[in-house]
């Protein structure tokens, strides 16, 4: 004879929010070159990630001086997020 298994479920609301806690990883910024090389491959050169958004912007100007045709960039922002447990529904 099989015994039925009893289960209890607890439903919880979860919220996803930016992590502003003191121990959260920092926000980081970087730029990536979107220009195409002569062989139609993407340059894809990248700045180093930085907590200061102006450092990658400075890199973009330096990259443009070294490669005058490279005028298109993407900004890469890494923002930490955290799941926050609400209460029972």
């Amino acid at each position: 004879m099989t015994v039925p298994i009893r289960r209890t479920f607890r439903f919880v609301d979860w919220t996803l929010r930016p992590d502003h806690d003191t121990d959260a990883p920092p926000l980081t910024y970087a730029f990536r070159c979107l220009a195409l090389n002569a062989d139609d491959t993407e340059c894809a050169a990248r700045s180093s990630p930085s907590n200061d958004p102006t450092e990658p912007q400075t890199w973009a100007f330096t990259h443009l001086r070294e490669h005058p045709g490279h005028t298109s960039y993407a900004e890469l922002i890494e923002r930490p997020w955290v799941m926050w447990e609400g209460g029972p529904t």
Side-chain angles (χ1 to χ4, degrees):
M1 174 178 179
T2 59
V3 177
I5 298 172
R6 294 194 55 155
R7 294 187 175 114
T8 303
F9 294 94
R10 181 175 156 252
F11 296 95
V12 177
D13 279 333
W14 286 93
T15 302
L16 181 62
R17 66 167 175 81
D19 192 350
H20 297 297
D21 296 339
T22 55
D23 63 344
L27 208 68
T28 59
Y29 305 87
F31 268 86
R32 177 171 58 93
C33 181
L34 300 176
L36 296 179
N37 294 316
D39 61 356
D40 281 342
T41 59
E42 190 177 284
C43 170
R46 291 177 179 235
S47 69
S48 297
S50 173
N51 298 345
D52 177 2
T54 61
E55 286 181 22
Q57 293 171 10
T58 302
W59 171 87
F61 282 100
T62 302
H63 187 71
L64 177 64
R65 277 192 296 279
E66 295 169 359
H67 307 278
H70 293 203
T71 58
S72 188
Y73 297 86
E75 183 179 25
L76 310 168
I77 301 173
E78 187 171 311
R79 181 184 327 272
W81 288 71
V82 66
M83 293 297 268
W84 189 259
E85 185 177 348
T89 57

